[in-house]
Amino acid sequence: MSVRFAGRRVVVTGAARGIGAEIARRFAAEGAKVAVLDRLAVEAKDVAAEIGGSAHEVDLRDVAGTRAAVRQAIGELGGIDVLVNNAGILRFAALLDIDPEEWDDVFAVNTRSMLVTTQVAARVMIDAGGGVIVNSSSMGGKAGGDGQAHYAASKAAVIALTRASAAELGPHGIRVNCVCPGYVATEMGAATRTAEKIEAWSAMSPLGRLGEPEDVAGVVAFLASDDAAYLTGQAFNVTGGMITH
């Protein structure tokens, strides 16, 4: 594998497992120094040990704690070149049954935390002359979904935040894009993932399968690379063709 990120310093949130862990592995395999941020302390340490990175426990609902964790990670890395805002939570509830507190909880992790981490990282990037931010939205942020109004709305907000961030940070040499994964086989949503649902979801893709964490990690790595130097403010579908808008 190439070493196109040799010497680059990368912070990945929600990297203890699933897509985030695979993103951390991809950057490390391509030469980057990676900080793993997650509330799952043991799993985060395992991933960090595997890739030769550092682990930082953080509950992204805690604004002050999030700022402190990102600052600590950046300090240990000696700076930051890439921020990947991957962390997210999924909740299911019918629209009329969603508790406003649960709505706020989903937005706190899925959207507000990205504002907080971006504010910390972007200030360092501005002083350094540039950087890259990649946010994780979802197919749900474009297409919605039954029983996922809070999740879908939070992910649609990520797309809007990405575009606004790209506009404001571009003059400082900072590119901001987001990925919109479709159905990816991870721990998230595993409790409701029946064989029948897997078959139905797979049939929605012209490729006839669900996504794998590696599929998303590859796109994130591309967006963070110099090959994407003229891309910013975009929301890239990683859905196997399930949606194309």
Side-chain angles (χ1 to χ4, degrees), residues 69-81:
V70 176
R71 286 169 179 156
Q72 181 183 32
I74 293 173
E76 291 187 10
L77 290 171
I80 182 171
D81 300 291

Side-chain angles (χ1 to χ4, degrees), residues 129-146:
V132 178
I133 299 172
V134 182
N135 297 325
S136 182
S137 179
S138 168
M139 180 172 73
K142 291 189 175 183
D146 292 344

Side-chain angles (χ1 to χ4, degrees), residues 116-127:
V116 176
T117 58
T118 294
Q119 287 176 330
V120 174
R123 287 188 172 99
V124 179
M125 291 177 178
I126 288 171
D127 290 340

Side-chain angles (χ1 to χ4, degrees), residues 69-150:
V70 176
R71 286 169 179 156
Q72 181 183 32
I74 293 173
E76 291 187 10
L77 290 171
I80 182 171
D81 300 291
V82 180
L83 168 66
V84 181
N85 284 314
N86 166 78
I89 58 175
L90 174 64
R91 297 287 184 267
F92 293 99
L95 177 67
L96 300 184
D97 296 330
I98 294 174
D99 187 302
E101 290 187 2
E102 186 172 73
W103 175 280
D104 291 343
D105 199 46
V106 170
F107 266 80
V109 176
N110 291 3
T111 311
R112 189 184 69 193
S113 71
M114 293 189 185
L115 169 66
V116 176
T117 58
T118 294
Q119 287 176 330
V120 174
R123 287 188 172 99
V124 179
M125 291 177 178
I126 288 171
D127 290 340
V132 178
I133 299 172
V134 182
N135 297 325
S136 182
S137 179
S138 168
M139 180 172 73
K142 291 189 175 183
D146 292 344
Q148 299 180 25
H150 36 4

Side-chain angles (χ1 to χ4, degrees), residues 9-244:
R9 299 150 302 181
V10 181
V11 173
V12 186
T13 69
R17 60 186 186 180
I19 293 173
E22 197 57 41
I23 290 170
R25 293 186 184 102
R26 181 61 179 264
F27 277 108
E30 295 200 44
K33 294 169 59 179
V34 182
V36 174
L37 273 63
D38 206 294
R39 65 181 180 83
L40 302 174
V42 174
E43 291 92 332
K45 289 179 181 177
D46 289 343
V47 173
E50 174 191 341
I51 65 175
S54 61
H56 305 266
E57 182 179 1
V58 60
D59 183 342
L60 293 172
R61 294 169 297 185
D62 178 353
V63 173
T66 298
R67 288 191 184 117
V70 176
R71 286 169 179 156
Q72 181 183 32
I74 293 173
E76 291 187 10
L77 290 171
I80 182 171
D81 300 291
V82 180
L83 168 66
V84 181
N85 284 314
N86 166 78
I89 58 175
L90 174 64
R91 297 287 184 267
F92 293 99
L95 177 67
L96 300 184
D97 296 330
I98 294 174
D99 187 302
E101 290 187 2
E102 186 172 73
W103 175 280
D104 291 343
D105 199 46
V106 170
F107 266 80
V109 176
N110 291 3
T111 311
R112 189 184 69 193
S113 71
M114 293 189 185
L115 169 66
V116 176
T117 58
T118 294
Q119 287 176 330
V120 174
R123 287 188 172 99
V124 179
M125 291 177 178
I126 288 171
D127 290 340
V132 178
I133 299 172
V134 182
N135 297 325
S136 182
S137 179
S138 168
M139 180 172 73
K142 291 189 175 183
D146 292 344
Q148 299 180 25
H150 36 4
Y151 176 78
S154 72
K155 290 302 188 177
V158 169
I159 296 173
L161 176 62
T162 296
R163 291 169 175 161
S165 300
E168 290 197 36
L169 298 176
H172 300 286
I174 301 172
R175 297 189 295 103
V176 189
N177 291 291
C178 71
V179 290
C180 301
Y183 293 108
V184 180
T186 67
E187 293 86 348
M188 180 181 285
T192 61
R193 191 182 303 128
T194 65
E196 291 76 16
K197 286 185 177 181
I198 291 174
E199 182 179 0
W201 293 338
S202 297
M204 293 169 60
S205 166
L207 302 179
R209 67 175 178 86
L210 300 186
E212 297 291 341
E214 294 86 350
D215 295 321
V216 182
V219 177
V220 171
F222 163 69
L223 291 174
S225 75
D226 293 339
D227 291 330
Y230 199 55
L231 290 176
T232 196
Q234 305 302 309
F236 291 86
N237 298 326
V238 191
T239 67
M242 292 183 187
I243 62 170
T244 57

